[in-house]
Structures are given as C-alpha cells and as structure tokens.
C-alpha cells in the first residue's frame, strides 16, 4: 500500500522569504501523480501544483515549485516570495491508478505560518 | 457550473442517530469520493465510486454506507452515529482518465456527534 509522509507539522517563514515543505512517499508503482493542496481557514481544498511521475522536469506554478526526486521518493514544495495569503495547511497527496481506479492518499499536513 | 455541492454545512447529531450527507456534482464526472478530516489531520478516504452503480471501500469505511444511483449524486449514510465520527466530511470528484488529475472538492460538512 502507498503511504505519504509529511514530517513537518508546522513551519514559519518571514514575508518575502522562501520556505520549503517536505514530503516523502512510498510506492511500488512507476506511474503516478503527486500533488500539493492548500487548505486555508475556510477549509476549501485548493490545488497548488501537480507532478507527473514520468516527467523529469520539476513542475512550477508562479511562486510555487517542486523538487521531485523519484528515486528517493521525495516531493518537496518551495514557496518563493512568501505572502501573508500563503498561510494555510498544506497537504501532499499521491494518486494511484491501479486497475483504472484513481485513489488519492494524503499526508497529515504542514501548517505554514507567514510572519509579517 | 456549481461544481461539487454538499449539504448540510453543519450538523450536530446525538449518539445513535442516523443521517445522510448529500453530495452532488454537475460536471458529469465519473469518479466521486468521500473523505473525512479529523482535527489537525489529513484526509482519509471513506468510500469512492467509479461510476453509477459502482462503489468501493476506502481506508476507513466502518460505520458508513454509500450509494451511487446517478452520475451526479453520491450520498454518504451514517448509521448509529458515534463520537468517533465527529469530523469534517469532504466530497470530491474527477472526470477520470489519465489526463484528468484534479480533484474538485465540495466545501465540506462539519459533523459533531455528542
């Protein structure tokens, strides 16, 4: 069974600085997706960025980028130029596609605080 | 499109009561999911469905039942509510297929069992 681990329950970053959130996963599959979701106090789940396992190039979305290390099964999120609005819970997620059933497995989350 | 809608937004149940959480999507998505999120934790999969008439258990199915009679609706039934079922419940959907990756989430239902 696949597992997703986020070892940082909480992180803090100064406004305008850069922060990296860690995520590791375990799987025997070769084809899968990885995601980072943001959950602000409103509880709405917002997709931040995704990475296809077959792509070597790291995904980037504006100030958000990932460091995908497939062999090490590591998938970290880097937030550059942090803003107050980035404060939220961040969840790493893995999508399996065994037998055409798309199941998502979430980590326990990292609470990000942005300091003014 | 309204996306994924959930009702109710909040509910308080007494131990032993039953209720149904409603979930509807208007995007013609094939796959639908129910998750629970306990305080300070990630989402855990309760049940999922790959299409009308087909459902399967997720990680934490005990105490819950689902049905999928139409593509749009995926209700979650709680029988004999217990305090351990106090949680926030999210419904989500995707179209399906290798190019369809983003889960669309509903706003959640906060359930308290006392």
């Amino acid at each position: 069974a696949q597992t997703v681990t986020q070892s940082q329950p909480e992180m803090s970053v100064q406004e305008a600085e850069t922060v990296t959130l860690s995520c590791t996963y375990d799987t025997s599959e070769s084809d899968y997706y990885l995601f980072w979701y943001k959950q602000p106090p409103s509880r709405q789940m917002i997709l931040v960025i995704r990475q296809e396992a077959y792509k070597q190039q790291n995904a980037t979305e504006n100030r958000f980028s990932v460091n995908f290390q497939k062999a090490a099964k590591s998938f970290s999120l880097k937030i550059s130029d942090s803003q107050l609005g980035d404060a939220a819970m961040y969840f790493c997620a893995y999508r399996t596609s065994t037998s055409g059933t798309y199941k998502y497995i979430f980590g326990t989350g990292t609470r990000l605080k942005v300091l003014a | 499109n309204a996306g994924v809608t959930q009702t109710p937004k909040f509910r308080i149940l007494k131990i032993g009561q039953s209720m149904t959480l409603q979930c509807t999507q208007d995007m013609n998505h094939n796959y639908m999911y129910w998750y629970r999120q306990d305080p300070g934790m990630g989402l855990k999969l309760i049940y999922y469905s790959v299409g009308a008439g087909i459902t399967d258990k997720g990680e934490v199915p005990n105490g819950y039942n689902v049905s999928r009679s139409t593509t749009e609706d995926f209700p979650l039934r709680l029988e004999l509510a217990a305090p351990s079922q106090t949680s926030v419940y999210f419904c989500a959907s995707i179209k399906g297929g290798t190019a369809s990756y983003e889960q669309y989430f509903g706003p959640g239902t906060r359930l308290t069992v006392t």
Side-chain angles (χ1 to χ4, degrees), chain A residues 33 39 50 95 100 102 104, chain B residues 31 33 37 42 98 100-101 103:
Chain A
Y33 280 91
Q39 187 181 45
R50 79 175 191 281
R95 189 186 92 166
Y102 303 110
Y104 295 73
Chain B
Y31 291 73
Y33 306 82
Q37 184 180 25
T98 54
S100 167
Y101 53 83
Q103 279 194 311

Side-chain angles (χ1 to χ4, degrees), chain B residues 4 23-25 29-34 45 47-51 68 70-74 91-94:
Chain B
V4 179
C23 174
T24 300
Q25 54 88 12
H29 283 179
N30 296 313
Y31 291 73
M32 295 187 74
Y33 306 82
W34 274 108
L45 182 64
Y47 272 95
Y48 66 100
S49 169
V50 303
R68 184 96 182 271
T70 67
T71 299
E72 295 78 19
D73 301 305
F74 190 41
C91 180
S93 71
I94 65 170

Side-chain angles (χ1 to χ4, degrees), chain A residues 39-103:
Chain A
Q39 187 181 45
S42 67
R43 295 203 309 259
Q44 184 66 42
M45 295 290 286
I46 302 166
L47 178 64
V48 175
I49 198 166
R50 79 175 191 281
Q51 175 78 44
E52 293 91 330
Y54 65 86
K55 289 187 177 179
Q56 292 186 334
Q57 186 173 7
N58 290 323
T60 298
E61 288 287 343
N62 300 315
R63 298 183 294 108
F64 299 88
S65 62
V66 299
N67 183 3
F68 174 48
Q69 302 288 330
K70 191 173 184 179
K73 297 178 182 175
S74 171
F75 181 61
S76 60
L77 174 70
K78 186 172 82 171
I79 305 174
S80 304
D81 186 26
S82 296
Q83 301 175 0
L84 294 177
D86 294 333
M89 284 289 289
Y90 286 82
F91 293 98
C92 178
Y94 171 102
R95 189 186 92 166
T96 177
S97 57
T98 303
S99 301
T101 60
Y102 303 110
K103 293 168 65 174

